[in-house]
Amino acid sequence: GPLKLLALQAEALAAGKPPVLRDGMPVFVNMVKTTLDHFDDVAAASRALSDAGYSPVPHLPASRFATVEECQSTARSLAGVGAKQLLVLGGNDLQDRLEVCAYPSGARGLVAAELATLKDAGFHTIGLAGHPDGHPGLGWDTAATSVVLLEKARPLLEAGLNIVVATQFCFDARKLVCWLERTRLALKGLQEEISSSVEIPGRVSFCIGLPGPTPRKKLERIAQICEVPSLFISSAFEIADADHD
């Protein structure tokens, strides 16, 4: 399945391409720094991945942009280095940047405002964040989170763009499966509704986040940064580490 890496990790992967990874594999390139010039690192990593035969999926957090021109320029530059997919996010620091952000409603506002920009730049697939635990900014309310996801998905599908719903990792397998079933059904219904007025609506796929082999303390720290509830992390480790080594 797809990989998610930091910019430096992505460049290292491209330089020493493992034979087990297929050509065209999507590789998500994380935008971890809050400065706009970090997109230069993301663009360099995306170019290296594209040159190595992978499909880079750079992150595009709405919170990074003070003007629409910054966003449009960044999207075009990422397309120019070979990216055909983007992961559009609100950004963990969106609430702190509402007064200076060009898209105070986050990913939903960016998608609505820049739909033509994304399509004209040549992107064929837009990633949207899925939240099996609910969005922390919505009080972990899964129903409200689903409504927001459908609102983001509608204009993209109507424009014929494909979407991939990408999740962070989730430590509660039952909750993850139930969320996937509900969300898949809801998006299928939206596609059917759109198909009555749009000749070729976009397609929908899912990318479920899974953590790689990671020490428990580090995984707990990553879960905190990514705002992922870690209530079930203990039981997950007990199952995986039966001999407690």
Side-chain angles (χ1 to χ4, degrees):
L3 300 175
K4 177 181 177 181
L5 302 172
L6 304 179
L8 288 175
Q9 293 173 321
E11 288 192 78
L13 173 69
K17 185 175 180 180
V20 295
L21 300 182
R22 60 177 172 80
D23 286 344
M25 174 178 283
V27 180
F28 290 83
V29 185
N30 207 344
M31 172 75 180
V32 293
K33 298 180 182 179
T34 58
T35 55
L36 192 65
D37 61 4
H38 184 44
F39 277 114
D40 294 338
D41 300 326
V42 173
S46 297
R47 180 185 293 278
L49 289 166
S50 181
D51 290 346
Y54 298 117
S55 177
V57 190
H59 289 195
L60 194 74
S63 61
R64 297 293 178 270
F65 304 112
T67 67
V68 297
E69 289 78 15
E70 289 177 351
C71 177
Q72 293 169 354
S73 174
T74 299
R76 285 192 288 266
S77 69
L78 292 172
V81 298
K84 299 298 182 185
Q85 306 181 56
L86 288 174
L87 179 61
V88 178
L89 305 163
N92 286 354
D93 58 344
L94 179 62
Q95 292 303 312
D96 298 328
R97 294 178 53 80
L98 289 178
E99 294 184 2
V100 297
C101 180
Y103 310 99
S105 59
R108 178 171 35 176
L110 192 157
V111 165
E114 304 302 339
L115 185 61
T117 298
L118 299 176
K119 195 166 184 179
D120 291 345
F123 293 104
H124 59 68
T125 300
I126 303 298
L128 302 175
H131 298 274
D133 292 292
H135 195 291
L138 296 172
W140 307 105
D141 186 327
T142 55
T145 302
S146 177
V147 169
V148 172
L149 175 60
L150 293 177
E151 289 176 349
K152 290 185 289 187
R154 178 181 287 277
L156 294 168
L157 295 175
E158 287 177 338
L161 291 168
N162 303 323
I163 66 170
V164 55
V165 182
T167 76
Q168 291 283 8
F169 45 88
C170 178
F171 295 111
D172 186 342
R174 292 185 181 87
K175 177 181 287 188
L176 175 60
V177 171
C178 289
W179 169 87
L180 181 59
E181 290 176 346
R182 289 196 311 270
T183 306
R184 181 179 285 151
L185 187 63
L187 286 167
K188 182 180 179 181
L190 179 60
Q191 284 180 292
E192 291 173 349
E193 176 190 336
I194 290 172
S195 65
S196 64
S197 56
V198 175
E199 185 176 353
I200 306 177
R203 300 187 303 272
V204 177
S205 60
F206 289 82
C207 179
I208 305 301
L210 296 172
T214 310
R216 175 172 172 171
K217 292 291 185 182
K218 184 176 182 180
L219 190 57
E220 289 175 337
R221 179 164 52 85
I222 295 172
Q224 184 178 14
I225 293 171
C226 297
E227 299 181 301
V228 174
S230 57
L231 178 65
F232 287 84
I233 193 170
S234 296
S235 58
F237 266 82
E238 288 168 3
I239 293 172
D241 187 22
D243 53 3
H244 305 289
D245 62 352

